């Protein structure tokens, strides 16, 4: 019952990936098998935006059809930011599976991106501040920036400098390029366990790697009324939703079982954990 953010199945396995969706009672993930769009993207699709854009739209429609996405805003942003611009060349972009991006890291599966965007939607309104810890390819940072707009602020923090550099190139090709240029979106090299104090407090914090425990600086940098979505645990992990109440107290609930790469030191990650 876990949505696997870690393993990369072979292309032949990708047509019916299990997808975690929330059950009606909100007590755990319901599994369903989605016939996904198993299509690889060519370099020309990366640049033309033609058929690639259509396939991106089809991917979002599939996620809606199978109940993973119900929010109009999440549909809009996932249609705006083409996933193909963020996966390594030759990687099937629209398959509902995590994909290797090098450095023992992965881009999360589309259903996990959708789930996290939806959990954070209320805290990603125009003008708000968002922090994406373990920003990897920059896909979610670009989505956050698009949602909070030019008056808001979206910060990505990633500890592999090469991924920071490639994520900036990815964003420059995407619909979020103008936000990067305008300065409301930025990606930084650093240890995300420390957060990014410069633009705190944040309305929304997303952590894209699993922490053994929630890092205190991230709780400190959450605004009262703010929400953090973070996978917590070692082998068995829960996607936790951390709400900071207006009195500064914190409420935590488990959303679903997940499997992410660890939130760790750069050395441990490069050694293979
Ligand atoms: N949301 C990203 C997920 C990438 S995988 C995406 O979908 O593209 C998790 C990322 O967390 C990896 O890129 C990894 O390098 C990064 N990471 C792990 N520990 C970290 C830390 N302590 N500080 C910053 N980034 C970290």
């Amino acid at each position: 019952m876990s949505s696997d953010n870690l393993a990369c199945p072979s292309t032949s396995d990708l047509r019916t990936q299990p997808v975690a969706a929330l059950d009606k009672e909100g007590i755990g993930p319901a599994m369903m098998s989605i016939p996904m769009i198993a299509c690889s993207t060519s370099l020309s699709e990366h640049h033309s935006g033609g058929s690639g854009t259509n396939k991106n739209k089809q991917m979002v429609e599939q996620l809606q059809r199978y109940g993973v996405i119900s929010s109009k805003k999440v549909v809009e942003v996932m249609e705006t930011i083409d996933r193909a611009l963020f996966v390594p060349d030759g990687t099937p972009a629209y398959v509902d599976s995590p994909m290797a991006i090098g450095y023992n890291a992965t881009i999360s599966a589309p259903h996990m991106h959708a789930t996290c965007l939806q959990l954070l939607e209320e805290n990603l309104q125009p003008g708000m501040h968002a922090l994406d810890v373990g920003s990897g390819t920059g896909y979610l940072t670009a989505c956050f920036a698009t949602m909070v707009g030019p008056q808001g602020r979206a910060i990505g923090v990633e500890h592999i400098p090469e991924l920071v550099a490639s994520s900036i190139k990815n964003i420059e090709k995407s619909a979020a390029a103008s936000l990067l240029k305008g300065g409301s979106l930025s990606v930084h090299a650093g240890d995300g366990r420390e957060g990014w104090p410069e633009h705190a407090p944040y309305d929304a914090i997303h952590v894209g790697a699993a922490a053994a425990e929630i890092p205190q600086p991230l709780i400190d940098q959450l605004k009262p009324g703010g929400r953090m979505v973070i996978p917590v645990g070692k082998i068995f992990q829960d996607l936790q939703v951390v709400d900071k109440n207006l009195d500064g107290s914190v409420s935590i609930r488990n959303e679903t079982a997940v499997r992410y790469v660890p939130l760790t030191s750069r050395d441990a990650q490069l050694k293979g954990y």
Side-chain angles (χ1 to χ4, degrees):
M1 295 280 279
S2 72
S3 15
D4 192 332
N5 197 41
L6 193 59
C8 292
S10 69
T11 322
S12 59
D13 293 328
L14 296 174
R15 282 183 184 273
T16 52
Q17 283 297 305
V19 165
L22 308 182
D23 66 16
K24 293 230 161 45
E25 290 73 41
I27 50 171
M31 301 306 291
M32 58 177 119
S33 214
I34 296 186
M36 288 313 283
I37 313 149
C39 54
S40 60
T41 54
S42 68
L43 202 57
S44 60
E45 283 169 358
H46 281 217
H47 297 290
S48 70
S51 56
T53 306
N54 283 338
K55 286 174 186 167
N56 189 64
K57 199 164 190 277
Q58 282 170 30
M59 177 195 77
V60 177
E61 280 165 8
Q62 289 277 45
L63 291 169
Q64 275 181 282
R65 198 164 311 132
Y66 287 92
V68 179
I69 310 178
S70 54
S71 149
K72 210 171 143 236
K73 277 194 186 155
V74 172
V75 168
E76 265 171 35
V77 74
M78 288 186 74
E79 284 183 353
T80 303
I81 303 298
D82 185 352
R83 188 175 167 86
L85 302 172
F86 292 82
V87 302
D89 287 345
T91 305
Y94 306 115
V95 168
D96 194 26
S97 172
M99 299 285 167
I101 58 171
Y103 311 95
N104 294 318
T106 55
I107 178 169
S108 299
H111 73 270
M112 283 313 305
H113 283 154
T115 299
C116 292
L117 284 166
Q118 212 155 262
L119 286 168
L120 289 169
E121 179 183 350
E122 294 301 314
N123 295 73
L124 292 169
Q125 307 215 27
M128 289 186 164
H129 283 206
L131 175 67
D132 186 20
V133 171
S135 47
T137 60
Y139 174 84
L140 270 184
T141 322
C143 291
F144 294 166
T146 304
M147 290 173 84
V148 301
Q151 308 306 323
R153 189 78 222 207
I155 306 285
V157 183
E158 166 59 53
H159 68 170
I160 306 288
E162 291 88 344
L163 287 177
V164 173
S166 58
S167 69
I168 289 171
K169 286 194 182 132
N170 298 339
I171 293 165
E172 280 169 346
K173 286 183 259 166
S174 79
S178 61
L179 299 165
L180 183 71
K181 213 168 168 209
S184 64
L185 189 181
S186 54
V187 186
H188 308 269
D191 188 339
R193 293 172 292 191
E194 301 300 323
W196 198 258
E198 194 185 333
H199 295 287
Y202 296 97
D203 300 278
I205 299 180
H206 168 263
V207 184
E213 284 175 8
I214 303 174
Q216 189 59 41
L218 298 183
I219 295 179
D220 295 342
Q221 289 171 35
L222 200 57
K223 194 183 270 185
R227 169 172 282 192
M228 168 159 53
V229 173
I230 177 170
V232 180
K234 290 188 176 163
I235 296 167
F236 298 102
Q237 304 160 6
D238 289 306
L239 189 68
Q240 294 195 338
V241 177
V242 180
D243 286 312
K244 190 176 262 190
N245 304 310
L246 293 177
D247 64 3
S249 63
V250 161
S251 313
I252 302 179
R253 68 178 166 83
N254 289 345
E255 180 70 23
T256 184
V258 288
R259 202 161 141 234
Y260 279 70
V261 299
L263 185 72
T264 184
S265 70
R266 185 165 50 215
D267 281 356
Q269 183 172 324
L270 294 176
K271 277 187 201 134
Y273 311 110

